[in-house]
Each structure stands twice: as C-alpha cells, then as structure tokens.
Amino acid sequence: MWRTIFNLILVLLIGACAAFVAAPWFAFRALKADARDGDAQGLAELVDYDALRGTLKTQLGPTPNATTAPAPTIWTDPIGAMKRALEPLTPPPPAVERYVSVQGLHDLTRGYEPGKAPPEPPMPDNLPDQVVAAVQEPWPSLRYWGPNRSRFVVRAPDAPARETVFTFQRRGWFEWKLVQIRLPAKDQAQP
C-alpha cells in the first residue's frame, strides 16, 4: 500500500517537474496559435506589451546602437527631466505597432518580417495529414532555459542565418509572458 502511494507521489512529482520545464515551450506554441487565429485576448495573456514595445522601440529607433546619457535630474536639467517624465505619454512609433499587432506577431513567430510572410497553407482535413504538416513546419530552437527566463530562436525559412529571438519570463509557477523580441540584424535581414 505505501509503495503504491510513494510511486503515485513520485509520478506526480515527475509530471509537475516536466510541466514546469516545458511551460515556456507551451507558451510559445500558444503565442503562435493565438496570433494565427487572431485571438487578441489570448495574446494579452501571453504578452507583456509594455516591455515588448520598450525593447522594440530601442531596436527600431533611429540610433539603436548609440549609448544613452544618464537620465536628467530635476536639479541638473529641469526641462529635460520634465520631458522624460512626459515621454511615456507619447505613443510609440508606428513601426513598433506593426510588430506587436496580431498579424505582426504571427509573421515573427514564423520567421518573417511583419507584412512579408506568404499565406499559410490550409490545414489538411484528416488527422494523419495534420500530424505530418505539424511535424514538417519549422520549429523554434531553444537558445536558453532558466527557471525564470527562456529564449527561443526562430529562423527565417528563406534565410536561415536571419534569427529572431523570443524571450519569455516566468510570472507564476506555470505562467510565462513574452517580454522581448530581438530582431535580426539589418545586414542579415536583407537577403
């Protein structure tokens, strides 16, 4: 009797550990499926839009590699401090919104730039063909896994050197949110 209870507890513990380790993978697959289906509510649960817009804004801005000066203080530069305080109220550039839209996220999860992806082929009707289609679609590769952060790499189908990196951060035991997308370098983005 005790051996059966011990085995049951051991199986449950191994299952919980496997679910904890695989949770980022399921979050990426859910992100891709929600973006494909146009489920904005599902995406809102999977994406930290403020953090994502902030990282994309620095990449898509006019000088993404420039070093920034320290933030102005009220004592050294009162006008600059007021500008910085009002900065979050300004809307992000339109280029950022193109990337965080439902269609933009779907294109990025497939390895394409937003608006440049070919249409997806229709899903087959019977189950064996659906399984074959799911196995043949491009899979993301795991770049890093940690207990609180995980990164996946999606390579462009037409240019495998072009990599888009998706960073997920753990927010609960099994809840992961997309907090950063690192876009391919500009020299790699042009085939």
Side-chain angles (χ1 to χ4, degrees):
M1 170 88 172
W2 291 108
R3 184 167 174 84
T4 306
I5 292 173
F6 175 76
N7 287 340
L8 180 64
I9 291 172
L10 185 63
V11 166
L12 290 175
L13 185 64
I14 290 172
C17 289
F20 181 79
V21 170
W25 171 259
F26 290 121
F28 181 84
R29 298 297 294 173
L31 172 78
K32 187 173 183 178
D34 286 346
R36 180 194 64 222
D37 297 337
D39 184 6
Q41 180 64 33
L43 286 173
E45 294 175 7
L46 293 169
V47 178
D48 182 354
Y49 282 106
D50 293 333
L52 188 59
R53 282 185 179 102
T55 59
L56 287 172
K57 193 171 164 185
T58 59
Q59 294 178 62
L60 297 172
T63 55
N65 294 330
T67 58
T68 59
T73 65
I74 195 78
W75 303 111
T76 60
D77 184 10
I79 295 175
M82 290 301 293
K83 279 178 149 176
R84 182 157 174 89
L86 295 175
E87 187 176 77
L89 298 177
T90 60
V96 172
E97 291 304 313
R98 192 180 82 182
Y99 282 83
V100 297
S101 69
V102 173
Q103 186 61 41
L105 286 172
H106 182 238
D107 292 346
L108 287 171
T109 58
R110 293 175 55 207
Y112 295 100
E113 280 188 57
K116 296 188 179 178
E120 271 195 89
M123 186 63 85
D125 292 333
N126 55 5
L127 183 62
D129 290 339
Q130 288 177 356
V131 171
V132 170
V135 169
Q136 290 178 346
E137 76 177 25
W139 290 68
S141 58
L142 184 66
R143 167 81 44 100
Y144 172 79
W145 186 92
N148 293 322
R149 193 169 289 261
S150 183
R151 289 191 175 94
F152 292 97
V153 175
V154 176
R155 289 178 178 79
D158 54 350
R162 213 176 74 202
E163 297 179 339
T164 305
V165 180
F166 293 83
T167 303
F168 287 85
Q169 186 174 9
R170 185 168 62 85
R171 299 291 170 92
W173 280 99
F174 299 102
E175 180 184 2
W176 291 77
K177 283 202 170 218
L178 178 66
V179 294
Q180 179 185 21
I181 296 176
R182 192 175 70 214
L183 301 172
K186 290 294 182 189
D187 56 349
Q188 293 175 349
Q190 304 300 329

